[in-house]
Amino acid sequence: MSSTGAYARAIEQLSRVIDYDPDNARLYVNRGGLYLGNRQINEALADYNRSISLDPASSLAFAGRGQTYLQMADYEHAIEDFNEAVKLYPGNARAFLARGTAYSNTREYDRAIEDVDRSITLDPPCTAGYRARAYIYGMKGDRDRANADYDQAIKLDPNPGTATAFSRRASAYQGKRDYDHAMADFAQALKLEPNNASVLNNRCLLRAVLGQYESALTDCNEALRIKPGEASILDSRGVAHLKKGALEQAIEDYDAALQIDAKMAVALYGRAIAKRRKGDAVGGEADIAMALAIKPNVADEMAARYGIK
């Protein structure tokens, strides 16, 4: 049975229980969690609202509704609900972790770290806290602390079943130019999730940087097989073609990426360099002007990340 089918069956069974006990606030929390797991956002929100109306002192209900708002990218209401959840129960580690995630999404990184620190203190064996804090440190550019937290997450759960910790640690290693460790982590991530297009895309870019062009193209092609028409992957394949010197193919990939996302500055800049190398100075300058208008530091980024200038 698919996960969707499993959720539907569990929701159906719990709904029958609710029919017999319609004023049980905890049952709505439980069903709200199932709806949220099944991405039935409106139904989840309705259940959490119902639970809160029955029991306004339920930390779990406020935390669940906060998670729902988090999935809706409504960070203001999510933070309000997490505030109430931890006020009602200061030991709610998941609420602190979730509020930290909301703060990281609003780029309030110091507040995010403070919340995740609290979550880890309350629940030290939880690997999610270390992964979340590592990601926030990475966003702040503190790759050493990010790696330390990824190391701890992997130490606590060396067989996590998902690629997240290994993939993110690989990106942190790549940022430090520790390419051997980055490659090893990408390999481990793909062992866990062979069809993870994001990991394949990231390894494609690393292989392109290292001059492993055919392997890079293999990764990008496989990523596109899994997620056809993904602009970021087309852009990555454009990088691999450009660094290989296959200028026509690079321009084709950048064209395709820009048809999907016309404001992708890195694709505009990459296409500009390809056009320049083909002798199309006018077309190259036009693309560079558009890229810089969208992202003023795009030239520095392309030079630093891929050696393209």
Side-chain angles (χ1 to χ4, degrees), residues 17 25 28 45 86 102 116 164 210 216 276 284 294:
V17 177
Y28 290 99
L45 191 60
V86 299
V116 180
T164 303
L210 296 176
R276 272 184 175 177
I294 296 166

Side-chain angles (χ1 to χ4, degrees), residues 268 271-272 275 280-292:
L268 282 164
R271 188 174 69 176
K275 286 179 177 179
D280 181 4
V282 174
E285 290 305 314
D287 275 350
I288 284 177
M290 286 190 288
L292 291 173

Side-chain angles (χ1 to χ4, degrees), residues 70-112:
L70 194 58
Q71 285 204 17
M72 296 166 65
D74 184 348
Y75 303 125
E76 180 180 355
H77 284 105
I79 290 168
E80 286 177 1
D81 274 351
F82 294 136
N83 288 345
E84 190 64 23
V86 299
K87 177 182 176 182
L88 289 166
Y89 176 45
N92 192 331
R94 291 188 179 183
F96 280 108
L97 177 58
R99 190 173 68 180
T101 301
Y103 280 135
S104 73
N105 285 329
T106 59
R107 300 184 180 182
E108 297 176 78
Y109 298 128
D110 291 337
R111 298 182 77 173

